[in-house]
Amino acid sequence: MTNAIEISDLTVAYDRTPVLRGVSGRFPAGVLSAVVGPNGSGKTTLMKAVAGVLRPSAGRVRFTGPGRADFAWLPQRAAFDRNFPISVRDVVAMGLWSRIGAFGRISGEMREEVEAALAKVGLAAFADRRIGALSGGQMQRALFARLIVQNTQAILLDEPFANIDAHTTADLMTLMERWRDEGRIVVAVLHDLDLAHRQFGWTMLLAHQSVACGPTPEVLTSANLAQARDLCHACAADRDFWAAA
Amino acid sequence: MLYDILIGPFADYAFMRRALWACLALALGGGPIGVLLVLRRMSLMGDALAHSVLPGAAIGFVIGGLSLPAMGIGGMVAGLTVALLSGAVSRATGLVEEASLAGFFLIALALGVLVVSLGGSSVDLTNVLFGSVLAVDPLSLLLVAGIAGVTLLVLVPAWRPLVYESFDPDFLHTVGGGGSARWHMLFLILVVLNLVAGFQALGTLMALGLMILPAIAARMWARDVWRMAALASGIAFASGVGGLLVSWHAGVPSGPAIVLVAGAVYAVSLAVGPQGGMLRRRQGNPSRHA
């Protein structure tokens, strides 16, 4: 039996306005999972609830299977203050937190681990730079290196490829495929239906509710997309999404 | 000659030495706290908190006179009450924390001025509002040093989570580092403690000056947060020494002199600092600052 994230009847509300209503679904290990839906459909909220950042008002998220129930979470790049005085190496070393906590020392072995992660994402030469000196794609590489160091069973990514150049996207996809092959749970919020079709074997279609969840070709059908459109009136403004659909 | 200008005042007068020690203690505690305030985008919230210390300090003053322990305890109680209340109100009403804090600090400030004027003279009011580092007595010095010690002791384990949380607020949640509310509260307590330490020297109106100005100046020079904190403490102490000397030789009040020296360091750093200073920026340095 492989690891999986099981979501049952999850409801999350901000100020009593529910953003997610009774979302259910499953993200198994060993396959790349996508959460797709138009802007405003609750994708980020779902990821935050799964990662434990938000407390749901009803329902629950369970980690099933023999592995450790630990999560790593990649926020949207826009959430970071790019002027923060922190070096690329220090951002990556944040991934050691679960092992060193607030005062543990970083051992020589851990240091090597950080350097190896930097090399894996192609940032070895940038380790001492301040993050403000990085391009958008390089910043995303640094955050992926932090995920490598965190070394968790489940990895949740919020729009990892938004405004990222094609070359970086390809490199980061390779990393995600490696995680998949290592038997991890990999879930990415995507805005790009095309990418979900091409690279992600498993998909949840979200429109405040889970319209469908399963193997991508069975989920991204025109019937399901039409249903998503009916369920989320406010989402109609997201023309790009519907054009691709 | 140089001795008379730089060393003499401290060598010859005990009150100048006490002021010097007070500045050192304030710099050690306030440097890192100021850095965290800046990085957490709370510079102005710190200012509001500083003012909210006033009614407590005023009541302490009316009861115990111009003694830092009496005013300090009162100030601490008032500052923490406002910090906790505004946090609770913003959670209960959905009002932004900054807005509810602004409401409470204005009430507190008015209340404080009222209490001081009822219980003392306008000279006393000036003392509470603007402080006087030259009047620091040994007991007050002990309190200021104690607060610096407690601050540094607490920051040893709290530094890493506080910095991480400022950079990436969701991170600690997802790695089981505890909710951000816990660290935030601990930090607010430290801020209030340091404000109380600062107000004897600089008054409630400028207590934040020796924390924020060195911190934002340091940001223009330092590559990482650790260096930024060390540098902020250094700048704060240097500003203290410089301000005391200016105050001594020019016969001006010490509090504003200290804050203005720190302000001068800030202005120079803004212009020439390598991490986003204006001159470097014109030369095409890619790093930016907030």
Side-chain angles (χ1 to χ4, degrees):
Chain A
M1 185 180 162
T2 57
N3 297 330
I5 294 171
E6 313 253 5
I7 300 167
S8 44
D9 223 7
L10 191 75
T11 296
V12 180
Y14 293 112
D15 284 340
R16 292 199 203 149
T17 313
V19 176
L20 296 175
R21 283 185 304 256
V23 171
S24 296
R26 184 166 179 275
F27 297 117
V31 60
L32 289 182
S33 300
V35 175
V36 300
N39 284 337
S41 59
K43 303 189 293 289
T44 297
T45 303
L46 176 66
M47 285 296 102
K48 285 192 169 184
V50 171
V53 177
L54 281 179
R55 197 182 293 270
S57 24
R60 64 181 190 153
V61 175
R62 264 186 328 143
F63 185 94
T64 59
R68 276 173 295 139
D70 54 3
F71 298 88
W73 154 253
L74 176 86
Q76 281 182 35
R77 218 159 23 94
F80 291 93
D81 173 8
R82 295 289 298 283
N83 306 308
F84 203 92
I86 188 169
S87 70
V88 175
R89 179 181 284 115
D90 285 345
V91 169
V92 177
M94 284 174 81
L96 296 168
W97 170 276
S98 54
R99 281 174 275 170
I100 61 176
F103 16 12
R105 280 187 60 82
I106 299 177
S107 68
E109 214 168 290
M110 292 177 187
R111 248 175 248 286
E112 277 166 35
E113 211 178 310
V114 168
E115 300 307 317
L118 280 163
K120 249 184 219 164
V121 298
L123 285 183
F126 293 83
D128 292 316
R129 300 262 182 107
R130 240 169 95 149
I131 55 157
L134 297 185
S135 71
Q138 288 169 331
M139 179 69 190
Q140 199 70 328
R141 287 171 187 267
L143 293 172
F144 266 68
R146 186 173 82 178
L147 295 175
I148 293 175
V149 171
Q150 281 186 264
N151 189 23
T152 54
Q153 281 302 312
I155 301 168
L156 313 170
L157 310 104
D158 195 357
E159 303 247 16
F161 307 123
N163 302 314
I164 298 285
D165 60 281
H167 177 62
T168 301
T169 301
D171 282 358
L172 297 182
M173 270 310 301
T174 310
L175 280 172
M176 287 171 60
E177 280 160 5
R178 195 174 303 160
W179 290 332
R180 173 195 66 196
D181 298 340
E182 288 165 357
R184 301 178 203 263
I185 301 167
V186 183
V187 186
V189 167
L190 293 183
H191 191 252
D192 181 352
L193 281 177
D194 214 35
L195 188 66
H197 269 301
R198 277 184 287 121
Q199 313 260 26
F200 289 74
W202 192 270
T203 295
M204 175 187 276
L205 176 60
L206 200 66
H208 297 308
Q209 308 172 25
S210 42
V211 177
C213 184
T216 303
E218 294 167 25
V219 169
L220 295 181
T221 61
S222 43
N224 282 340
L225 287 164
Q227 199 194 341
R229 197 167 199 157
D230 289 341
L231 282 170
C232 180
H233 298 291
C235 305
D238 188 357
R239 295 237 168 79
D240 291 346
F241 181 84
W242 299 116
Chain B
M1 172 66 191
L2 210 57
Y3 175 89
D4 287 339
I5 294 177
L6 298 180
I7 315 281
F10 298 115
D12 298 342
Y13 296 94
F15 73 91
M16 283 294 277
R17 279 198 297 279
R18 280 198 295 273
L20 188 70
W21 286 117
C23 285
L24 179 63
L26 287 175
L28 286 177
I33 294 292
V35 164
L36 287 170
L37 276 171
V38 169
L39 292 180
R40 298 167 79 81
R41 298 159 183 260
M42 284 173 57
S43 307
L44 288 174
M45 255 180 86
D47 202 35
L49 271 181
H51 299 344
S52 62
V53 163
L54 187 63
I59 291 169
F61 167 75
V62 168
I63 296 171
L66 201 63
S67 85
L68 190 56
M71 289 161 62
I73 291 166
M76 230 174 285
V77 171
L80 290 178
T81 307
V82 167
L84 295 173
L85 261 182
S86 56
V89 164
S90 76
R91 272 190 298 277
T93 61
L95 205 63
V96 191
E97 186 169 7
E98 177 227 29
S100 63
L101 183 61
F104 278 112
F105 104 75
L106 285 167
I107 296 170
L109 187 61
L111 210 62
V113 172
L114 198 73
V115 172
V116 181
S117 355
L118 285 179
S121 66
S122 63
V123 179
D124 301 328
L125 180 62
T126 313
N127 249 320
V128 177
L129 286 178
F130 302 109
S132 118
V133 70
L134 300 179
V136 172
D137 57 27
L139 189 60
S140 306
L141 187 56
L142 204 64
L143 185 74
V144 172
I147 287 175
V150 168
T151 303
L152 293 178
L153 275 179
V154 174
L155 278 182
V156 169
W159 182 253
R160 194 181 278 159
L162 282 172
V163 170
Y164 282 8
E165 208 226 340
S166 319
F167 174 61
D168 183 353
D170 292 336
F171 181 76
L172 288 182
H173 266 294
T174 60
V175 295
S180 58
R182 194 195 309 169
W183 296 111
H184 186 65
M185 204 36 77
L186 181 69
F187 178 62
L188 283 182
I189 292 171
L190 286 181
V191 172
V192 170
L193 274 177
N194 279 275
L195 287 170
V196 165
F199 84 59
Q200 160 90 40
L202 304 164
T204 54
L205 284 185
M206 288 183 296
L208 202 65
L210 213 48
M211 290 189 223
I212 292 294
L213 284 168
I216 45 185
R219 185 163 191 173
M220 297 292 127
W221 299 93
R223 273 183 31 226
D224 58 46
V225 187
W226 307 88
R227 279 172 237 226
M228 188 173 158
L231 190 59
S233 283
I235 292 174
F237 182 55
S239 306
V241 175
L244 286 174
L245 288 171
V246 168
S247 152
W248 174 263
H249 293 294
V252 295
S254 53
I258 290 172
V259 174
L260 281 176
V261 170
V265 177
Y266 166 55
V268 170
S269 306
L270 271 189
V272 302
Q275 302 289 351
M278 283 180 262
L279 286 181
R280 303 295 178 112
R281 182 173 297 220
R282 200 162 289 173
Q283 289 163 8
N285 186 321
S287 69
R288 295 161 298 166
H289 69 94

